[in-house]
Amino acid sequence: ASAQVAGKTAEFSVTVHQVSEARLPELNAEFFAKLGIEHGDVDKFKQAVRASMENKVEQTLRGIKREQVLQALYAANPLELPEGLVRRDCERLLHESRAKHVQNGHDDHDHDHDHDHDHDHDHEHEHEHEHEHHGHQHEHHDHEPCAHDDHDAVSLDQFMDQAKKRVALSLILSKIISEHGLEPKAERVRELVFSVARNAPNPEQIVRQYYSNKEIMTQFKSMVLEEQAIDCVLEHAKVSTEARSYAELTGPQTAEV
């Protein structure tokens, strides 16, 4: 049907039943009840909103600085990359893309979830952590690529540039971590663990589960090491500041800053 009407002019009628505009609600008992706020204290409510906004700004600024530093490092350090590492990362990205597609399709039909990509992070594990090969964790193996059909080969090509960037940044950050003798700071690891677990029904139990799982804690430590490496770069970088409103900072255009 779409092919039959493609490129043709369509005429149709629209009936407008109502025109509305947004109005700010009054901060009263009725408004608080709709939000499930029991105390009804306007000052406490404002303090909570301010704290939430400040946290959002902090996270956004951290993300902007991270992306700018990583982009600068990538542009300034061209590398000849091991084909095996790039190939494996392509395969991983393809697998993650397919899994996400399947999961999204399942959620759309069954639950219509609103997943909070706040892993906050992006430090969410799902802050899919791009650099898993810090320091001694690098293992360069020469091996035959996995067999793929033609469809897979085409799909892998779509992720090639992204994989090259991820592998290059992993190697660059590993070098920075090694040269500066960086080790993950326990307090920063703890802060990250709590930030990921805070929205769970039982945060303390989740934190205990994380700390008892070596593999998960290795991921957390790698994420913290990445942040420490970025901090190290920023300490030696020339940084300029620019005034932005809250809406400008947290809006969609943030990624282009």
Side-chain angles (χ1 to χ4, degrees):
S2 58
Q4 295 174 355
V5 298
K8 296 182 179 180
T9 301
E11 295 183 5
F12 53 90
S13 300
V14 176
T15 301
V16 178
H17 296 283
Q18 185 178 20
V19 178
S20 303
E21 64 177 354
R23 288 189 306 175
L24 291 175
E26 294 184 24
L27 300 182
N28 52 30
E30 181 182 357
F31 174 71
F32 289 137
K34 289 180 179 179
L35 293 180
I37 300 175
E38 297 180 358
H39 58 69
D41 189 311
V42 175
D43 290 335
K44 285 185 178 180
F45 174 75
K46 289 182 177 179
Q47 290 173 6
V49 171
R50 174 177 287 277
S52 176
M53 293 176 68
E54 289 175 345
N55 183 57
K56 176 67 173 177
V57 168
E58 181 182 351
Q59 291 180 5
T60 302
L61 288 175
R62 186 188 306 128
I64 291 174
K65 287 191 293 185
R66 174 183 180 274
E67 291 307 315
Q68 289 180 336
V69 168
L70 293 179
Q71 184 58 40
L73 287 172
Y74 182 63
N77 297 278
L79 299 176
E80 185 174 341
L81 303 172
E83 292 184 6
L85 285 180
V86 175
R87 177 76 177 187
R88 285 203 299 273
D89 209 56
C90 278
E91 292 169 354
R92 181 181 307 167
L93 287 168
L94 176 60
H95 175 76
E96 290 174 356
S97 176
R98 287 177 172 173
K100 185 176 181 180
H101 178 75
V102 171
Q103 182 63 43
N104 286 344
H106 177 74
D107 288 342
D108 289 343
H109 286 91
D110 295 343
H111 304 293
D112 193 25
H113 279 310
D114 180 15
H115 290 290
D116 184 11
H117 175 75
D118 189 0
H119 192 349
D120 274 32
H121 197 180
D122 241 348
H123 282 137
E124 307 331 0
H125 300 315
E126 38 89 325
H127 173 256
E128 23 183 299
H129 184 59
E130 296 183 350
H131 315 290
E132 300 172 321
H133 310 290
H134 295 310
H136 63 278
Q137 295 179 25
H138 276 296
E139 296 183 13
H140 296 191
H141 298 295
D142 293 327
H143 67 290
E144 292 298 323
C146 298
H148 295 279
D149 56 27
D150 291 340
H151 175 70
D152 276 354
V154 174
S155 299
L156 286 174
D157 287 342
Q158 296 174 356
F159 295 103
M160 185 61 67
D161 289 342
Q162 185 181 356
K164 288 180 177 178
K165 184 174 182 180
R166 283 162 50 112
V167 171
L169 286 172
S170 175
L171 296 172
I172 293 168
L173 288 173
S174 249
K175 184 68 173 176
I176 293 172
I177 290 167
S178 175
E179 287 187 348
H180 292 271
L182 299 179
E183 295 290 342
K185 295 180 178 179
E187 183 57 32
R188 292 186 67 163
V189 173
R190 182 175 178 81
E191 288 175 1
L192 178 57
V193 170
F194 273 87
S195 72
V196 173
R198 69 171 180 263
N199 292 324
N202 192 340
E204 293 182 358
Q205 181 181 350
I206 298 299
V207 168
R208 287 195 296 270
Q209 290 176 357
Y210 284 159
Y211 269 96
S212 65
N213 188 311
K214 233 178 223 188
E215 183 178 348
I216 290 179
M217 290 309 299
T218 296
Q219 294 176 12
F220 278 120
K221 290 175 182 178
S222 286
M223 293 165 72
V224 167
L225 266 179
E226 178 190 279
E227 295 303 320
Q228 290 178 210
I230 290 174
D231 290 345
C232 186
V233 173
L234 286 172
E235 288 176 5
H236 300 86
K238 183 179 179 181
V239 180
S240 60
T241 59
E242 180 181 352
R244 294 259 179 162
S245 69
Y246 180 82
E248 289 174 330
L249 183 64
T250 60
Q253 69 274 24
T254 292
E256 301 175 2
V257 174

